Amino acid sequence: MKTLINYFILLLFIQISMTVQAQNQANYDESKVPALVLPDPFVSEKGMLINNLADWEKIRRPEIFHLFESVVYGILPKNFDAISFEKVNEKENPYPDLAELEEVNITVSRNGKSHTMRINLFLPKDKKGPFPVILLINYQPTYPDGSLVDEAFWPVSELLKRGYATASFHAETVAPDNNETYKNGIINTLYPEQIGMPNGMKAYGAWGWGSMRAMDYFEQHPQIDSKKSILVGHSRTGKAALWTSANDPRWAITYANESGCGGAALSRRKYGETVEAINNRFPYWFADNFKKYNGKEETLPIDQHMLPGLIAPRAIYYSSAKGDQWADPKGEFLGIKLGSRVYSEIYGKKIEFPSEFETLKSPIHQESVGYHIREGEHNLTWEDWSHFLEFVGKNLK
Ligand code: GTR
């Protein structure tokens, strides 16, 4: 036992020192950012100019989706044989006056095997549904005191008071956030054929799959207005939220807070966290193919400014923190600013982003696309939520 504990302490120590080393070696100097030559979202692989909805949806969107699936995130499998929902009663409801708590086991089977994941859903009490719902993909396995909610990160009571239902599931319930154990969830049980495939699913595919199963639950729930479903992720789960929504059109609004490298930020800027840094520290997040671009971001057939177009015309929101240079706030801003062109040029949304990042007035809330940057460090704070909720108020139709 003692040896095992020592082993985990050693692993933790190695992980922390790899992080510090990677962050210290990163480029934070704008003058060293390479001149950006980005792939064009509006030119097809055969060189055809894409400037209308039919060509976008029939030709270019599928091309871009396929590239993200094969070289960045890996497959998010959609097939299974059966799904069932069972309410359990294990934890105390932290909001007996404000909410009904539903702890739900979702069991999915495929090829004779099954996996059970858990979501926790709070429904406003003494208000009339059906309610819009906000799902947070949470990666804190359990809060230190064993509670279901940490208000500093997931402000459940504020959301309930504003008339939203809100739910979360822990990433661990479908794929542990760990290089040694990430397969010990749906990958081993339900989708073992994905193992070893260069474009096979890893943690992001699995976390996206979990979000889709939560949506399956919302869709059959009489107290939820599933057409008004909102998906939220911070950092690693912000990347997962974006990939989920690119796969699943049932999400009305998608919010990625400080999702950085492999999420909001342009990879070609090589500012802060790079493709190599993220693949070395988290080899189990993205498809194995992504590793081919370690140090060679300029050879990627896509860049992250092409990701919002996969979610369009549904609403999308990004945010950054000035103290979170590792996530490259300017790269995140450019990701959404350039990404919003599909919203305006193909879907006719009214969007005007400021041209300069350095002088922008935050928040920027446009039709279906929004962004803010705040002071402070890497975190999902009430300030982030409150800007986002204002955007939701304007865009949830
Ligand atoms: C960091 C990682 C980032 C981001 C972050 C987080 O260590 O480098 O890409 O995902 O973790 O999830 O908090």
Side-chain angles (χ1 to χ4, degrees):
M1 186 67 185
K2 219 169 155 197
T3 346
L4 200 66
I5 292 172
N6 285 341
Y7 172 71
F8 281 114
I9 292 174
L10 181 71
L11 278 186
L12 190 68
F13 176 75
I14 293 173
Q15 175 78 26
I16 292 170
S17 46
M18 273 173 80
T19 308
V20 172
Q21 203 189 16
Q23 294 189 347
N24 286 345
Q25 285 168 355
N27 174 44
Y28 297 111
D29 181 349
E30 248 344 289
S31 72
K32 295 200 178 114
V33 170
L36 285 181
V37 183
L38 294 170
D40 192 334
F42 300 112
V43 177
S44 78
E45 282 166 4
K46 289 195 176 139
M48 179 178 159
L49 183 67
I50 304 294
N51 58 8
N52 63 69
L53 187 61
D55 288 347
W56 170 258
E57 292 189 343
K58 238 199 266 117
I59 301 169
R60 192 57 177 145
R61 186 192 182 281
E63 283 179 1
I64 295 173
F65 177 83
H66 179 72
L67 289 170
F68 273 108
E69 178 183 65
S70 61
V71 307
V72 183
Y73 301 103
I75 294 166
L76 196 172
K78 318 260 176 359
N79 58 331
F80 53 81
D81 299 329
I83 184 164
S84 62
F85 310 109
E86 185 204 356
K87 285 187 200 160
V88 294
N89 215 334
E90 287 178 6
K91 296 260 185 187
E92 206 174 310
N93 181 353
Y95 308 100
D97 299 335
L98 280 177
E100 307 286 348
L101 166 64
E102 292 184 3
E103 297 167 87
V104 186
N105 278 348
I106 303 180
T107 300
V108 177
S109 57
R110 181 176 182 247
N111 297 338
K113 295 212 165 145
S114 69
H115 178 86
T116 299
M117 64 174 280
R118 167 74 56 88
I119 64 166
N120 300 305
L121 166 67
F122 293 96
L123 292 153
K125 209 171 173 177
D126 304 328
K127 283 195 169 45
K128 212 178 128 6
F131 306 103
V133 64
I134 298 180
L135 176 72
L136 173 70
I137 312 175
N138 200 346
Y139 63 89
Q140 331 264 10
T142 40
Y143 293 109
D145 59 357
S147 63
L148 288 180
V149 177
D150 175 359
E151 281 269 343
F153 189 74
W154 180 27
V156 172
S157 60
E158 290 299 329
L159 300 176
L160 290 164
K161 285 182 203 151
R162 285 164 170 75
Y164 297 100
T166 186
S168 91
F169 71 90
H170 294 309
E172 303 268 327
T173 197
V174 282
D177 189 11
N178 179 299
N179 191 34
E180 315 297 319
T181 57
Y182 75 96
K183 290 193 209 104
N184 298 344
I186 62 163
I187 299 179
N188 274 338
T189 51
L190 301 184
Y191 302 100
E193 72 280 6
Q194 299 274 329
I195 298 170
M197 284 165 58
N199 60 346
M201 83 190 293
K202 297 264 180 125
Y204 285 137
W207 299 345
W209 183 95
S211 312
M212 291 179 71
R213 303 296 72 80
M215 172 61 95
D216 295 342
Y217 184 67
F218 301 154
E219 281 194 315
Q220 53 78 60
H221 198 300
Q223 281 306 305
I224 288 188
D225 183 355
S226 66
K227 298 264 173 301
K228 295 186 175 167
S229 296
I230 298 167
L231 185 60
V232 177
H234 165 63
S235 205
R236 66 197 67 187
T237 69
K239 306 180 223 277
L242 294 171
W243 183 231
T244 306
S245 208
N247 277 271
D248 182 358
R250 294 176 293 174
W251 300 97
I253 302 186
T254 309
Y255 174 25
N257 182 61
E258 297 158 27
S259 61
C261 179
L266 296 178
S267 301
R268 279 171 174 74
R269 277 177 44 82
K270 305 188 188 194
Y271 183 103
E273 186 169 34
T274 59
V275 169
E276 180 166 18
I278 204 165
N279 280 330
N280 284 347
R281 288 176 55 228
F282 304 102
Y284 61 97
W285 280 359
F286 298 91
D288 277 340
N289 275 339
F290 199 37
K291 300 183 178 74
K292 293 184 191 152
Y293 301 92
N294 286 353
K296 295 189 208 143
E297 285 85 344
E298 58 288 342
T299 64
L300 275 162
I302 42 72
D303 208 319
Q304 298 304 119
H305 67 303
M306 291 157 94
L307 190 55
L310 299 182
I311 294 171
R314 291 166 291 127
I316 187 166
Y317 195 84
Y318 285 2
S319 47
S320 310
K322 291 185 186 164
D324 184 19
Q325 291 297 311
W326 181 237
D328 184 14
K330 183 170 180 178
E332 296 181 313
F333 167 76
L334 289 172
I336 188 106
K337 176 185 149 90
L338 299 173
S340 74
R341 289 183 59 205
V342 171
Y343 286 78
S344 53
E345 293 174 35
I346 300 289
Y347 290 99
K349 306 271 181 187
K350 269 210 223 96
I351 295 171
E352 249 176 83
F353 263 81
S355 50
E356 295 302 317
F357 169 71
E358 289 71 17
T359 53
L360 73 84
K361 280 208 180 66
S362 172
I364 303 167
H365 288 176
Q366 305 280 315
E367 189 185 355
S368 305
V369 181
Y371 173 80
H372 75 254
I373 180 162
R374 60 161 173 79
E375 301 294 329
E377 301 304 315
H378 183 67
N379 198 357
L380 176 59
T381 67
W382 174 244
E383 190 179 341
D384 296 313
W385 279 102
S386 59
H387 286 311
F388 173 61
L389 291 174
E390 202 188 307
F391 174 80
V392 171
K394 294 177 194 155
N395 284 281
L396 193 65
K397 285 169 196 130

